[in-house]
Amino acid sequence: MDIKDHHIVSKEKAIEYLSELITDTPLPASIEALSEHEILDICKFVQQVIDQKTAGLDRLFEMMSKTMKYIPNFVIHSMSIKYIAPAIAARITEKLTIKQALGVADGLPLDYSAEVARYSNNHLSAEILSHMKPLQMKKVVYYLARHYPIKLLDIAEQLNESMISSISKYIDYSVYSSIQLQAPKRKAMLAKLQSKIENRKSKI
């Protein structure tokens, strides 16, 4: 996640950026009490720290993704579960094509696939989710809703209307009752998902 991609020019955008860095951990209340100038400075500093700590890793993950093209998927499945943490697998997956990513995801256990989605780019996770077989998609959504409900909202924002309607059926909305959603777009997405359920009920 890069600060340049967020076009951070306001306090609201800054809070949105920071809240997405650690998806399921609420921001400290003191963050929202900061002035716009202070919070924008914090965002710039955070990005500098991220850039310094991850320097060179993109090249490494790109090289690993190219190597995977020559390894059969069943070998990748076995190696991934045993030796590659989901956070690392997510970074490698971002360097693959959708077709390659789906081929790898197809044979992985549900919990591992969902954990990879937790750490992945939201757009990529949405793309993979959209191309999954219906039963597999249902299980991944159910897992994310139970374990990483905020991440699921972020992924849902990247889905088309048809997919939003599809995943809305597999979410236990009670998990959101105890969660404070700080980003306005997350609140809007939760409301949209719930409205899909209400609309479905009204037609019965």
Side-chain angles (χ1 to χ4, degrees), residues 43-82:
C43 286
K44 291 175 184 176
F45 178 73
V46 167
Q47 186 62 51
Q48 288 171 354
V49 172
I50 292 173
D51 289 344
Q52 186 176 49
K53 293 297 182 181
T54 59
L57 289 180
D58 278 343
R59 287 286 300 274
L60 173 63
F61 293 133
E62 187 172 354
M63 180 191 71
M64 293 174 74
S65 70
K66 289 180 179 178
T67 303
M68 286 173 63
K69 297 177 184 178
Y70 306 101
I71 304 174
N73 280 341
F74 75 90
V75 176
I76 293 175
H77 297 155
S78 178
M79 289 175 58
S80 296
I81 297 165
K82 290 181 180 178

Side-chain angles (χ1 to χ4, degrees), residues 97 100 110 136:
T97 64
Q100 290 170 328
L110 164 66
Q136 186 183 18

Side-chain angles (χ1 to χ4, degrees), residues 163-180:
M163 276 299 296
I164 290 173
S165 182
S166 293
I167 72 167
S168 68
K169 298 178 288 186
Y170 310 129
I171 299 172
D172 177 5
Y173 293 97
S174 65
V175 300
Y176 292 100
S177 61
S178 60
I179 297 174
Q180 182 181 2

Side-chain angles (χ1 to χ4, degrees), residues 133-193:
K133 295 172 184 176
L135 182 58
Q136 186 183 18
M137 180 271 287
K138 175 182 176 179
K139 290 179 177 179
V140 170
V141 169
Y142 184 72
Y143 185 98
L144 287 172
R146 289 190 64 190
H147 298 278
Y148 308 111
I150 298 178
K151 178 65 176 181
L152 181 58
L153 295 179
D154 292 342
I155 294 172
E157 190 186 358
Q158 304 295 321
L159 296 171
N160 61 35
E161 288 296 323
S162 176
M163 276 299 296
I164 290 173
S165 182
S166 293
I167 72 167
S168 68
K169 298 178 288 186
Y170 310 129
I171 299 172
D172 177 5
Y173 293 97
S174 65
V175 300
Y176 292 100
S177 61
S178 60
I179 297 174
Q180 182 181 2
L181 297 176
Q182 293 163 310
K185 67 177 185 178
R186 287 175 176 163
K187 295 177 183 178
M189 179 49 65
L190 177 58
K192 187 172 188 177
L193 287 164

Side-chain angles (χ1 to χ4, degrees), residues 24 29 88 169 203:
D24 286 283
I88 300 300
K169 298 178 288 186
K203 293 178 181 178

